[in-house]
Amino acid sequence: MGMAYGSDYHGLPVTSVRNGKGIEVAPDLFQLTVQIVNVVFVGEPNRGDWVMVDAGMPNKADEIIEAAEERFGTGHPPKAIVLTHGHFDHVGSIIECSGHWNVDVFAHEAEFPYLTGKRAYMTPDPSAAPGLVAKMSPWFPNEPIQLGNRLQVLPADGSVPYLPGWRWLLTGGHTPGHVSLFKDESRSLIAGDAFVTVKQESIYKVFMQELEFSGPPKYFTPDWKAAKASVLKLAGLNRDCGHGSRATGRGRSLKEGFTSIGRSFWFHSSA
Ligand SMILES: [Zn+2]
Ligand SMILES: [Zn+2]
């Protein structure tokens, strides 16, 4: 079965100061900012397998592939691509990337309708949040992509293909099958759009000023209740690890002790 983007696919004339820049967040975590979203390379150069998480904005495959070759060398493609979810800014260049590397794409089963051409995402609601991005959101593509035979379901046991030590967690709400990836040993978290923090270097505005972190972009989130539960799940994850429960301020326990990569931010904590 062939692969195809949604009929409404197009690039966006938005950017951030970090566009095109890569940062090694941890030895096995490299974040490449593509306009306003992050693509994550998981795995250490010269040390076995690596996997790419998400595939950036439309028409950015050349940049992504170039950055990957710069980090891992030519002839060392990723073993797979894992999707946090199927929004256009996370699958924007996936057909070219997965084709170039000839690799499978893994996602949660609940996300499959949006990745197999069956169901469109919600129409973005520009009134749901303040800010420039929300105002632009009616122009965001929301038609489903068709990934054909490349699409594979994430393992039911919670493991992440080719990445021992990592596990995926269902953090739905933003989309039904949104997943976050977590590595217990280093407490590294790849949160996709499950939440954004206030410390952003892009044009994104903060939606919930009273918290140090907030939920996902409201204009593109149909199930806010589930999204909140997912944020709390991630917060609880940190507490479980025994490092985060410094109850010194709202929102802090999620932040502290994490190496975390979300929509358009990163931070590295030495806690
Ligand atoms: Zn999203
Ligand atoms: Zn996104």
Side-chain angles (χ1 to χ4, degrees), residues 60-191:
K60 296 294 173 187
D62 289 350
E63 284 175 33
I64 294 168
I65 291 165
E66 196 183 306
E69 289 183 347
E70 202 171 297
R71 180 160 173 82
F72 296 96
T74 49
H76 290 99
K79 287 287 182 183
I81 299 172
V82 174
L83 292 177
T84 59
H85 63 304
H87 273 155
F88 80 98
D89 54 326
H90 298 254
V91 300
S93 296
I94 197 159
I95 292 179
E96 295 84 353
C97 287
S98 62
H100 179 83
W101 289 320
N102 192 24
V103 293
D104 285 335
V105 177
F106 288 86
H108 191 275
E109 221 172 351
E111 206 69 4
F112 270 40
Y114 310 95
L115 302 171
T116 54
K118 292 199 175 73
R119 199 180 303 158
Y121 286 112
M122 74 179 278
T123 306
D125 176 6
S127 68
L132 183 60
V133 178
K135 283 203 178 57
M136 287 177 58
S137 63
W139 201 42
F140 287 6
N142 69 332
E143 291 291 323
I145 190 172
Q146 171 57 267
L147 291 178
N149 296 332
R150 289 216 188 269
L151 186 60
Q152 307 286 333
V153 68
L154 281 165
D157 64 2
S159 65
V160 180
Y162 307 106
L163 292 181
W166 285 83
R167 58 192 168 106
W168 61 264
L169 298 109
L170 181 62
T171 45
H174 179 63
T175 66
H178 186 289
V179 295
S180 300
L181 306 186
F182 187 65
K183 188 184 185 186
D184 292 88
E185 190 194 341
S186 56
R187 303 194 311 283
S188 298
L189 175 70
I190 299 169

Side-chain angles (χ1 to χ4, degrees), residues 38-42 51-56 80-84 90 163 181 190:
N38 294 319
V39 171
V40 189
F41 302 158
V42 188
V51 163
M52 186 164 92
V53 178
D54 288 342
I81 299 172
V82 174
L83 292 177
T84 59
H90 298 254
L163 292 181
L181 306 186
I190 299 169

